[in-house]
Amino acid sequence: FPIIRAQISQDYIPDSKFYKVEAILRPWRIQQVSSALLKMGIRGVTISDVRGFGAQGGSAERQAGSEFSEDNFVAKVKIEIVVSKDQVEAVIEKIIDEARTGEIGDGKIFLIPVSDVIRVRTGERGEKAERMTGGRSDMFFSTGSSTA
Ligand code: AKG
């Protein structure tokens, strides 16, 4: 059995069974982030190309490089992952590990409670819909049932 790190059940408010971890990150770190998430058994990742700015208003002290568009919005990638509560801290930790450079512009992570998860193919809801075969929950528990 692998050691389950960060199975901390934080007192997130509002409390929810599922949370969306939404991170705005540097585009060139996304490959690294997503393969690390895949390796830890996270399944179901959505990526969007976005543009925006944070506290610096779209300017970094260090450089005005290729990440900037002409209107000063900075190209970022939004990564969205819905996981059960007990996986949230591990996902956050992994994103920070893989995305952090320590420089301005590393991005932010938002934690959003999710009311329900519904699998379109089967109509399954809740835990059954969130769980994916070969995913993290399969690595830690053998449920004996297929929930793909
Ligand atoms: C901001 O607008 O807050 C920034 O951090 C701009 C720098 C960057 O995202 O590279």
Side-chain angles (χ1 to χ4, degrees):
F1 260 79
I3 295 157
I4 303 172
R5 238 164 109 229
Q7 282 255 349
I8 312 147
S9 266
Q10 295 257 180
D11 282 327
Y12 306 126
I13 298 171
D15 185 42
S16 185
K17 269 181 152 171
F18 310 106
Y19 290 87
K20 179 164 80 168
V21 180
E22 181 177 302
I24 310 292
L25 304 173
R26 297 182 192 277
W28 55 274
R29 282 295 178 108
I30 290 301
Q31 191 50 56
Q32 194 178 323
V33 169
S34 63
S35 59
L37 291 172
L38 195 63
K39 232 174 265 166
M40 71 184 276
I42 296 301
R43 300 289 179 271
V45 172
T46 305
I47 295 288
S48 319
D49 291 315
V50 296
R51 298 188 310 137
F53 62 83
Q56 272 64 45
S59 58
E61 295 141 40
R62 58 187 201 288
Q63 45 130 351
S66 57
E67 286 180 25
F68 290 85
S69 51
E70 64 229 3
D71 56 10
N72 269 15
F73 289 104
V74 188
K76 298 287 174 186
V77 168
K78 181 170 70 175
I79 181 165
E80 295 168 88
I81 309 138
V82 173
V83 293
S84 56
K85 184 179 183 174
D86 63 349
Q87 302 179 357
V88 170
E89 286 302 312
V91 167
I92 291 171
E93 215 172 278
K94 186 62 74 179
I95 291 172
I96 293 171
D97 279 355
E98 304 296 336
R100 189 177 177 280
T101 70
E103 301 286 315
I104 282 171
D106 273 352
K108 251 179 202 179
I109 303 173
F110 304 107
L111 196 51
I112 303 146
V114 169
S115 306
D116 205 356
V117 180
I118 299 132
R119 176 172 280 121
V120 171
R121 178 170 58 83
T122 58
E124 289 168 307
R125 302 183 76 122
E127 224 168 280
K128 279 186 176 170
E130 189 272 330
R131 201 175 299 153
M132 297 202 200
T133 295
R136 189 173 170 80
S137 46
D138 280 0
M139 292 165 75
F140 300 132
F141 313 104
S142 32
T143 58
S145 63
S146 170
T147 52

Short mmCIF file of all heavy atoms in Angstrom, two decimals, residues 21-37 45-54 62 66-68 73-81 90-111:
data_model
loop_
_atom_site.label_atom_id
_atom_site.label_comp_id
_atom_site.label_asym_id
_atom_site.label_seq_id
_atom_site.Cartn_x
_atom_site.Cartn_y
_atom_site.Cartn_z
N VAL A 21 -11.09 21.71 -7.72
CA VAL A 21 -9.82 22.41 -7.57
C VAL A 21 -9.57 23.10 -8.91
O VAL A 21 -9.44 22.45 -9.94
CB VAL A 21 -8.66 21.44 -7.25
CG1 VAL A 21 -7.36 22.20 -7.10
CG2 VAL A 21 -8.98 20.63 -5.99
N GLU A 22 -9.60 24.42 -8.86
CA GLU A 22 -9.44 25.21 -10.08
C GLU A 22 -8.16 26.01 -9.95
O GLU A 22 -8.03 26.84 -9.05
CB GLU A 22 -10.66 26.13 -10.25
CG GLU A 22 -10.62 26.97 -11.50
CD GLU A 22 -11.89 27.81 -11.65
OE1 GLU A 22 -12.99 27.23 -11.68
OE2 GLU A 22 -11.78 29.03 -11.71
N ALA A 23 -7.22 25.74 -10.82
CA ALA A 23 -5.91 26.41 -10.72
C ALA A 23 -5.62 27.18 -11.99
O ALA A 23 -5.86 26.70 -13.10
CB ALA A 23 -4.82 25.37 -10.47
N ILE A 24 -5.11 28.40 -11.81
CA ILE A 24 -4.64 29.22 -12.92
C ILE A 24 -3.12 29.16 -12.88
O ILE A 24 -2.51 29.60 -11.90
CB ILE A 24 -5.12 30.69 -12.77
CG1 ILE A 24 -6.62 30.77 -12.49
CG2 ILE A 24 -4.72 31.51 -13.99
CD1 ILE A 24 -7.52 30.36 -13.61
N LEU A 25 -2.54 28.60 -13.93
CA LEU A 25 -1.11 28.28 -13.88
C LEU A 25 -0.39 28.72 -15.15
O LEU A 25 -1.01 29.09 -16.14
CB LEU A 25 -0.93 26.77 -13.71
CG LEU A 25 -1.61 26.12 -12.49
CD1 LEU A 25 -1.48 24.61 -12.56
CD2 LEU A 25 -1.06 26.66 -11.17
N ARG A 26 0.93 28.65 -15.08
CA ARG A 26 1.75 28.96 -16.25
C ARG A 26 1.57 27.86 -17.31
O ARG A 26 1.71 26.67 -16.99
CB ARG A 26 3.23 29.00 -15.86
CG ARG A 26 3.60 30.06 -14.88
CD ARG A 26 5.11 29.99 -14.63
NE ARG A 26 5.49 30.80 -13.48
CZ ARG A 26 5.69 32.11 -13.55
NH1 ARG A 26 5.54 32.75 -14.69
NH2 ARG A 26 6.05 32.78 -12.47
N PRO A 27 1.30 28.28 -18.55
CA PRO A 27 1.07 27.30 -19.62
C PRO A 27 2.20 26.26 -19.74
O PRO A 27 1.93 25.08 -19.93
CB PRO A 27 0.98 28.17 -20.88
CG PRO A 27 0.49 29.49 -20.38
CD PRO A 27 1.09 29.66 -19.02
N TRP A 28 3.41 26.69 -19.60
CA TRP A 28 4.53 25.77 -19.82
C TRP A 28 4.77 24.83 -18.64
O TRP A 28 5.64 23.96 -18.72
CB TRP A 28 5.81 26.53 -20.18
CG TRP A 28 6.21 27.60 -19.20
CD1 TRP A 28 5.77 28.89 -19.16
CD2 TRP A 28 7.14 27.45 -18.12
NE1 TRP A 28 6.37 29.56 -18.11
CE2 TRP A 28 7.22 28.69 -17.46
CE3 TRP A 28 7.93 26.38 -17.65
CZ2 TRP A 28 8.03 28.90 -16.35
CZ3 TRP A 28 8.73 26.58 -16.55
CH2 TRP A 28 8.78 27.85 -15.91
N ARG A 29 3.99 24.94 -17.57
CA ARG A 29 4.09 23.98 -16.47
C ARG A 29 2.96 22.94 -16.49
O ARG A 29 2.94 22.03 -15.68
CB ARG A 29 4.05 24.72 -15.12
CG ARG A 29 5.36 25.36 -14.72
CD ARG A 29 6.42 24.31 -14.50
NE ARG A 29 7.71 24.90 -14.15
CZ ARG A 29 8.26 24.86 -12.94
NH1 ARG A 29 7.63 24.26 -11.96
NH2 ARG A 29 9.43 25.41 -12.72
N ILE A 30 2.01 23.10 -17.41
CA ILE A 30 0.81 22.27 -17.39
C ILE A 30 1.09 20.80 -17.66
O ILE A 30 0.54 19.91 -17.02
CB ILE A 30 -0.24 22.82 -18.39
CG1 ILE A 30 -0.79 24.14 -17.87
CG2 ILE A 30 -1.38 21.82 -18.59
CD1 ILE A 30 -1.46 24.06 -16.51
N GLN A 31 1.98 20.53 -18.61
CA GLN A 31 2.32 19.14 -18.93
C GLN A 31 2.85 18.42 -17.69
O GLN A 31 2.45 17.30 -17.37
CB GLN A 31 3.35 19.11 -20.07
CG GLN A 31 3.58 17.72 -20.65
CD GLN A 31 2.26 17.04 -21.01
OE1 GLN A 31 1.46 17.57 -21.78
NE2 GLN A 31 2.02 15.86 -20.44
N GLN A 32 3.72 19.11 -16.99
CA GLN A 32 4.32 18.57 -15.77
C GLN A 32 3.26 18.33 -14.68
O GLN A 32 3.27 17.31 -14.00
CB GLN A 32 5.37 19.58 -15.30
CG GLN A 32 6.34 19.10 -14.26
CD GLN A 32 7.35 20.18 -13.91
OE1 GLN A 32 7.79 20.94 -14.77
NE2 GLN A 32 7.72 20.26 -12.64
N VAL A 33 2.37 19.30 -14.54
CA VAL A 33 1.31 19.19 -13.53
C VAL A 33 0.38 18.02 -13.86
O VAL A 33 0.09 17.18 -13.01
CB VAL A 33 0.50 20.49 -13.43
CG1 VAL A 33 -0.76 20.31 -12.59
CG2 VAL A 33 1.36 21.62 -12.88
N SER A 34 -0.07 17.95 -15.11
CA SER A 34 -1.06 16.94 -15.46
C SER A 34 -0.47 15.54 -15.42
O SER A 34 -1.15 14.59 -14.99
CB SER A 34 -1.71 17.23 -16.81
OG SER A 34 -0.76 17.19 -17.83
N SER A 35 0.78 15.37 -15.82
CA SER A 35 1.33 14.01 -15.74
C SER A 35 1.57 13.59 -14.29
O SER A 35 1.42 12.42 -13.96
CB SER A 35 2.58 13.83 -16.61
OG SER A 35 3.58 14.71 -16.24
N ALA A 36 1.89 14.54 -13.43
CA ALA A 36 2.03 14.21 -12.00
C ALA A 36 0.69 13.82 -11.40
O ALA A 36 0.60 12.89 -10.59
CB ALA A 36 2.64 15.39 -11.25
N LEU A 37 -0.37 14.52 -11.80
CA LEU A 37 -1.71 14.18 -11.31
C LEU A 37 -2.13 12.79 -11.80
O LEU A 37 -2.68 11.99 -11.05
CB LEU A 37 -2.72 15.24 -11.76
CG LEU A 37 -2.59 16.61 -11.12
CD1 LEU A 37 -3.53 17.61 -11.81
CD2 LEU A 37 -2.89 16.56 -9.63
N VAL A 45 -9.48 15.54 -15.87
CA VAL A 45 -8.84 16.85 -15.79
C VAL A 45 -9.30 17.67 -16.99
O VAL A 45 -9.30 17.17 -18.11
CB VAL A 45 -7.30 16.72 -15.78
CG1 VAL A 45 -6.63 18.06 -15.89
CG2 VAL A 45 -6.83 15.97 -14.54
N THR A 46 -9.72 18.90 -16.76
CA THR A 46 -10.15 19.80 -17.84
C THR A 46 -9.20 20.99 -17.90
O THR A 46 -8.87 21.58 -16.87
CB THR A 46 -11.58 20.30 -17.60
OG1 THR A 46 -12.44 19.19 -17.42
CG2 THR A 46 -12.07 21.15 -18.77
N ILE A 47 -8.79 21.32 -19.11
CA ILE A 47 -7.82 22.38 -19.34
C ILE A 47 -8.44 23.45 -20.25
O ILE A 47 -9.09 23.11 -21.23
CB ILE A 47 -6.58 21.80 -20.06
CG1 ILE A 47 -5.86 20.79 -19.18
CG2 ILE A 47 -5.64 22.88 -20.52
CD1 ILE A 47 -5.12 21.40 -18.04
N SER A 48 -8.23 24.71 -19.93
CA SER A 48 -8.63 25.79 -20.85
C SER A 48 -7.50 26.80 -20.96
O SER A 48 -6.83 27.11 -19.98
CB SER A 48 -9.86 26.54 -20.32
OG SER A 48 -10.81 25.67 -19.77
N ASP A 49 -7.33 27.30 -22.16
CA ASP A 49 -6.42 28.43 -22.35
C ASP A 49 -7.16 29.69 -21.93
O ASP A 49 -8.25 29.96 -22.42
CB ASP A 49 -6.01 28.54 -23.83
CG ASP A 49 -5.11 27.39 -24.23
OD1 ASP A 49 -4.19 27.07 -23.46
OD2 ASP A 49 -5.33 26.82 -25.32
N VAL A 50 -6.57 30.43 -21.03
CA VAL A 50 -7.22 31.65 -20.55
C VAL A 50 -6.22 32.80 -20.55
O VAL A 50 -5.01 32.60 -20.73
CB VAL A 50 -7.80 31.47 -19.11
CG1 VAL A 50 -8.90 30.43 -19.10
CG2 VAL A 50 -6.71 31.11 -18.11
N ARG A 51 -6.72 34.00 -20.37
CA ARG A 51 -5.85 35.16 -20.23
C ARG A 51 -6.36 35.99 -19.07
O ARG A 51 -7.56 36.07 -18.83
CB ARG A 51 -5.85 36.01 -21.51
CG ARG A 51 -5.32 35.26 -22.73
CD ARG A 51 -5.13 36.15 -23.93
NE ARG A 51 -6.33 36.94 -24.20
CZ ARG A 51 -6.30 38.23 -24.53
NH1 ARG A 51 -5.17 38.89 -24.61
NH2 ARG A 51 -7.42 38.87 -24.76
N GLY A 52 -5.46 36.59 -18.34
CA GLY A 52 -5.92 37.38 -17.21
C GLY A 52 -4.78 38.14 -16.55
O GLY A 52 -3.68 38.22 -17.09
N PHE A 53 -5.10 38.72 -15.39
CA PHE A 53 -4.04 39.33 -14.60
C PHE A 53 -4.38 39.21 -13.13
O PHE A 53 -5.54 39.04 -12.75
CB PHE A 53 -3.78 40.79 -15.00
CG PHE A 53 -4.95 41.71 -14.79
CD1 PHE A 53 -5.20 42.28 -13.55
CD2 PHE A 53 -5.79 42.02 -15.85
CE1 PHE A 53 -6.27 43.13 -13.36
CE2 PHE A 53 -6.87 42.87 -15.67
CZ PHE A 53 -7.11 43.43 -14.43
N GLY A 54 -3.36 39.32 -12.31
CA GLY A 54 -3.54 39.22 -10.87
C GLY A 54 -3.19 40.53 -10.19
O GLY A 54 -3.47 41.61 -10.72
N ARG A 62 10.13 41.21 -13.58
CA ARG A 62 11.30 40.61 -14.21
C ARG A 62 11.40 40.85 -15.71
O ARG A 62 12.44 41.11 -16.24
CB ARG A 62 11.34 39.12 -13.92
CG ARG A 62 10.11 38.38 -14.40
CD ARG A 62 10.11 36.93 -13.93
NE ARG A 62 9.23 36.11 -14.76
CZ ARG A 62 7.91 36.16 -14.71
NH1 ARG A 62 7.29 37.01 -13.92
NH2 ARG A 62 7.19 35.39 -15.50
N SER A 66 7.15 36.72 -23.59
CA SER A 66 6.22 36.15 -24.55
C SER A 66 4.90 35.72 -23.91
O SER A 66 3.96 35.41 -24.61
CB SER A 66 6.87 34.95 -25.25
OG SER A 66 7.28 34.00 -24.28
N GLU A 67 4.83 35.67 -22.58
CA GLU A 67 3.59 35.29 -21.93
C GLU A 67 2.56 36.43 -22.00
O GLU A 67 1.41 36.25 -21.65
CB GLU A 67 3.83 34.90 -20.46
CG GLU A 67 4.49 33.54 -20.31
CD GLU A 67 4.74 33.14 -18.87
OE1 GLU A 67 4.03 33.64 -17.97
OE2 GLU A 67 5.67 32.36 -18.64
N PHE A 68 2.99 37.62 -22.42
CA PHE A 68 2.10 38.77 -22.45
C PHE A 68 1.52 38.97 -23.83
O PHE A 68 2.21 38.89 -24.83
CB PHE A 68 2.85 40.04 -22.02
CG PHE A 68 3.19 40.03 -20.57
CD1 PHE A 68 4.35 39.41 -20.13
CD2 PHE A 68 2.36 40.61 -19.64
CE1 PHE A 68 4.67 39.39 -18.79
CE2 PHE A 68 2.67 40.60 -18.29
CZ PHE A 68 3.84 39.98 -17.87
N PHE A 73 -2.99 41.33 -20.80
CA PHE A 73 -3.45 40.11 -20.16
C PHE A 73 -2.37 39.05 -20.38
O PHE A 73 -1.73 39.01 -21.43
CB PHE A 73 -4.78 39.63 -20.75
CG PHE A 73 -5.93 40.52 -20.37
CD1 PHE A 73 -6.48 41.42 -21.29
CD2 PHE A 73 -6.49 40.44 -19.10
CE1 PHE A 73 -7.54 42.22 -20.94
CE2 PHE A 73 -7.56 41.25 -18.75
CZ PHE A 73 -8.08 42.15 -19.67
N VAL A 74 -2.20 38.23 -19.37
CA VAL A 74 -1.14 37.23 -19.45
C VAL A 74 -1.76 35.88 -19.80
O VAL A 74 -2.79 35.50 -19.25
CB VAL A 74 -0.40 37.11 -18.10
CG1 VAL A 74 0.82 36.22 -18.23
CG2 VAL A 74 -0.02 38.48 -17.58
N ALA A 75 -1.14 35.17 -20.72
CA ALA A 75 -1.62 33.84 -21.10
C ALA A 75 -1.38 32.86 -19.95
O ALA A 75 -0.27 32.75 -19.42
CB ALA A 75 -0.90 33.36 -22.35
N LYS A 76 -2.47 32.21 -19.54
CA LYS A 76 -2.38 31.20 -18.48
C LYS A 76 -3.18 29.99 -18.91
O LYS A 76 -3.93 30.04 -19.89
CB LYS A 76 -2.96 31.75 -17.16
CG LYS A 76 -2.24 32.96 -16.59
CD LYS A 76 -0.90 32.62 -15.99
CE LYS A 76 -0.17 33.88 -15.57
NZ LYS A 76 1.19 33.62 -15.11
N VAL A 77 -3.06 28.92 -18.17
CA VAL A 77 -3.93 27.77 -18.39
C VAL A 77 -4.72 27.53 -17.12
O VAL A 77 -4.18 27.60 -16.02
CB VAL A 77 -3.13 26.52 -18.81
CG1 VAL A 77 -4.00 25.27 -18.76
CG2 VAL A 77 -2.57 26.70 -20.21
N LYS A 78 -6.02 27.30 -17.30
CA LYS A 78 -6.89 26.94 -16.17
C LYS A 78 -7.06 25.43 -16.18
O LYS A 78 -7.40 24.85 -17.21
CB LYS A 78 -8.24 27.64 -16.29
CG LYS A 78 -9.16 27.32 -15.12
CD LYS A 78 -10.39 28.20 -15.11
CE LYS A 78 -11.34 27.90 -16.24
NZ LYS A 78 -12.60 28.67 -16.16
N ILE A 79 -6.78 24.84 -15.05
CA ILE A 79 -6.93 23.39 -14.92
C ILE A 79 -8.01 23.14 -13.86
O ILE A 79 -7.99 23.75 -12.80
CB ILE A 79 -5.58 22.72 -14.60
CG1 ILE A 79 -5.70 21.21 -14.49
CG2 ILE A 79 -4.91 23.30 -13.37
CD1 ILE A 79 -4.33 20.50 -14.54
N GLU A 80 -8.97 22.31 -14.21
CA GLU A 80 -10.10 22.04 -13.31
C GLU A 80 -10.19 20.54 -13.03
O GLU A 80 -10.19 19.74 -13.96
CB GLU A 80 -11.40 22.53 -13.94
CG GLU A 80 -11.45 24.04 -14.11
CD GLU A 80 -12.60 24.48 -14.98
OE1 GLU A 80 -13.70 24.70 -14.46
OE2 GLU A 80 -12.41 24.59 -16.21
N ILE A 81 -10.26 20.21 -11.75
CA ILE A 81 -10.31 18.81 -11.33
C ILE A 81 -11.35 18.71 -10.22
O ILE A 81 -11.25 19.43 -9.23
CB ILE A 81 -8.95 18.36 -10.77
CG1 ILE A 81 -7.82 18.71 -11.74
CG2 ILE A 81 -8.95 16.86 -10.45
CD1 ILE A 81 -6.60 19.24 -11.05
N ALA A 90 -4.14 16.51 -1.23
CA ALA A 90 -3.08 15.88 -2.02
C ALA A 90 -2.97 16.52 -3.40
O ALA A 90 -1.86 16.71 -3.92
CB ALA A 90 -3.34 14.38 -2.13
N VAL A 91 -4.12 16.86 -3.98
CA VAL A 91 -4.13 17.48 -5.31
C VAL A 91 -3.51 18.89 -5.23
O VAL A 91 -2.67 19.26 -6.06
CB VAL A 91 -5.56 17.53 -5.89
CG1 VAL A 91 -5.64 18.44 -7.11
CG2 VAL A 91 -6.02 16.12 -6.25
N ILE A 92 -3.90 19.65 -4.22
CA ILE A 92 -3.36 20.99 -4.05
C ILE A 92 -1.83 20.94 -3.87
O ILE A 92 -1.08 21.67 -4.51
CB ILE A 92 -4.01 21.69 -2.83
CG1 ILE A 92 -5.47 22.02 -3.13
CG2 ILE A 92 -3.24 22.96 -2.45
CD1 ILE A 92 -6.26 22.52 -1.92
N GLU A 93 -1.40 20.01 -3.01
CA GLU A 93 0.02 19.85 -2.75
C GLU A 93 0.79 19.52 -4.02
O GLU A 93 1.86 20.07 -4.28
CB GLU A 93 0.17 18.70 -1.75
CG GLU A 93 1.28 18.83 -0.75
CD GLU A 93 1.19 17.73 0.29
OE1 GLU A 93 0.40 17.87 1.25
OE2 GLU A 93 1.87 16.71 0.11
N LYS A 94 0.23 18.62 -4.83
CA LYS A 94 0.89 18.21 -6.06
C LYS A 94 0.96 19.35 -7.06
O LYS A 94 2.00 19.57 -7.70
CB LYS A 94 0.14 17.01 -6.67
CG LYS A 94 0.78 16.39 -7.87
CD LYS A 94 2.15 15.81 -7.59
CE LYS A 94 2.08 14.51 -6.81
NZ LYS A 94 3.42 13.92 -6.55
N ILE A 95 -0.12 20.11 -7.18
CA ILE A 95 -0.11 21.25 -8.10
C ILE A 95 0.97 22.25 -7.70
O ILE A 95 1.75 22.73 -8.53
CB ILE A 95 -1.50 21.92 -8.17
CG1 ILE A 95 -2.51 20.99 -8.84
CG2 ILE A 95 -1.42 23.26 -8.92
CD1 ILE A 95 -3.95 21.47 -8.77
N ILE A 96 1.04 22.55 -6.41
CA ILE A 96 2.06 23.49 -5.94
C ILE A 96 3.47 22.95 -6.22
O ILE A 96 4.33 23.66 -6.76
CB ILE A 96 1.88 23.80 -4.44
CG1 ILE A 96 0.58 24.58 -4.22
CG2 ILE A 96 3.08 24.58 -3.89
CD1 ILE A 96 0.19 24.74 -2.75
N ASP A 97 3.69 21.67 -5.89
CA ASP A 97 4.99 21.04 -6.14
C ASP A 97 5.44 21.20 -7.59
O ASP A 97 6.61 21.45 -7.86
CB ASP A 97 4.92 19.53 -5.85
CG ASP A 97 5.05 19.22 -4.37
OD1 ASP A 97 5.28 20.17 -3.59
OD2 ASP A 97 4.90 18.04 -4.00
N GLU A 98 4.51 20.99 -8.51
CA GLU A 98 4.87 20.94 -9.92
C GLU A 98 4.80 22.29 -10.62
O GLU A 98 5.45 22.48 -11.64
CB GLU A 98 3.95 19.94 -10.66
CG GLU A 98 3.94 18.54 -10.08
CD GLU A 98 5.30 17.84 -10.18
OE1 GLU A 98 6.11 18.22 -11.06
OE2 GLU A 98 5.55 16.93 -9.38
N ALA A 99 4.02 23.22 -10.10
CA ALA A 99 3.78 24.48 -10.81
C ALA A 99 4.61 25.64 -10.27
O ALA A 99 4.80 26.65 -10.94
CB ALA A 99 2.30 24.85 -10.77
N ARG A 100 5.11 25.53 -9.07
CA ARG A 100 5.77 26.65 -8.41
C ARG A 100 7.17 26.91 -8.94
O ARG A 100 7.99 26.01 -9.03
CB ARG A 100 5.85 26.37 -6.91
CG ARG A 100 6.32 27.55 -6.10
CD ARG A 100 6.32 27.26 -4.61
NE ARG A 100 6.84 28.39 -3.89
CZ ARG A 100 8.14 28.66 -3.76
NH1 ARG A 100 9.04 27.84 -4.27
NH2 ARG A 100 8.53 29.74 -3.11
N THR A 101 7.41 28.16 -9.33
CA THR A 101 8.77 28.58 -9.66
C THR A 101 9.31 29.51 -8.58
O THR A 101 10.51 29.72 -8.47
CB THR A 101 8.82 29.34 -11.01
OG1 THR A 101 8.19 30.63 -10.85
CG2 THR A 101 8.13 28.58 -12.12
N GLY A 102 8.41 30.11 -7.80
CA GLY A 102 8.81 31.09 -6.79
C GLY A 102 8.80 32.51 -7.32
O GLY A 102 9.02 33.47 -6.57
N GLU A 103 8.53 32.66 -8.61
CA GLU A 103 8.48 33.99 -9.23
C GLU A 103 7.04 34.49 -9.28
O GLU A 103 6.09 33.69 -9.28
CB GLU A 103 9.01 33.92 -10.66
CG GLU A 103 10.44 33.42 -10.79
CD GLU A 103 11.45 34.47 -10.34
OE1 GLU A 103 11.30 35.64 -10.72
OE2 GLU A 103 12.38 34.10 -9.60
N ILE A 104 6.88 35.79 -9.40
CA ILE A 104 5.56 36.39 -9.62
C ILE A 104 4.95 35.80 -10.88
O ILE A 104 5.64 35.65 -11.89
CB ILE A 104 5.69 37.93 -9.71
CG1 ILE A 104 5.83 38.50 -8.30
CG2 ILE A 104 4.51 38.54 -10.46
CD1 ILE A 104 6.18 39.97 -8.26
N GLY A 105 3.67 35.43 -10.79
CA GLY A 105 2.99 34.87 -11.95
C GLY A 105 2.80 33.36 -11.87
O GLY A 105 2.33 32.75 -12.83
N ASP A 106 3.15 32.75 -10.75
CA ASP A 106 2.95 31.31 -10.58
C ASP A 106 1.48 30.92 -10.57
O ASP A 106 1.15 29.77 -10.83
CB ASP A 106 3.59 30.82 -9.26
CG ASP A 106 5.06 30.47 -9.43
OD1 ASP A 106 5.54 30.46 -10.58
OD2 ASP A 106 5.73 30.20 -8.41
N GLY A 107 0.60 31.87 -10.26
CA GLY A 107 -0.83 31.60 -10.35
C GLY A 107 -1.51 31.39 -9.01
O GLY A 107 -0.95 31.71 -7.95
N LYS A 108 -2.71 30.85 -9.06
CA LYS A 108 -3.53 30.67 -7.87
C LYS A 108 -4.37 29.41 -7.97
O LYS A 108 -4.65 28.92 -9.07
CB LYS A 108 -4.46 31.87 -7.69
CG LYS A 108 -4.04 32.73 -6.51
CD LYS A 108 -4.90 33.93 -6.30
CE LYS A 108 -4.08 34.94 -5.49
NZ LYS A 108 -4.77 36.17 -5.22
N ILE A 109 -4.80 28.92 -6.81
CA ILE A 109 -5.67 27.76 -6.75
C ILE A 109 -6.94 28.15 -6.00
O ILE A 109 -6.86 28.75 -4.93
CB ILE A 109 -4.97 26.58 -6.04
CG1 ILE A 109 -3.66 26.22 -6.74
CG2 ILE A 109 -5.90 25.36 -5.97
CD1 ILE A 109 -2.82 25.19 -6.00
N PHE A 110 -8.07 27.82 -6.59
CA PHE A 110 -9.36 28.06 -5.94
C PHE A 110 -10.02 26.73 -5.61
O PHE A 110 -9.93 25.77 -6.39
CB PHE A 110 -10.28 28.87 -6.86
CG PHE A 110 -9.68 30.17 -7.31
CD1 PHE A 110 -9.24 30.33 -8.62
CD2 PHE A 110 -9.53 31.23 -6.42
CE1 PHE A 110 -8.68 31.53 -9.05
CE2 PHE A 110 -8.97 32.43 -6.84
CZ PHE A 110 -8.54 32.58 -8.15
N LEU A 111 -10.67 26.68 -4.48
CA LEU A 111 -11.36 25.48 -4.02
C LEU A 111 -12.85 25.78 -3.98
O LEU A 111 -13.30 26.68 -3.27
CB LEU A 111 -10.84 25.14 -2.62
CG LEU A 111 -11.10 23.75 -2.09
CD1 LEU A 111 -10.67 22.69 -3.08
CD2 LEU A 111 -10.34 23.57 -0.78
#
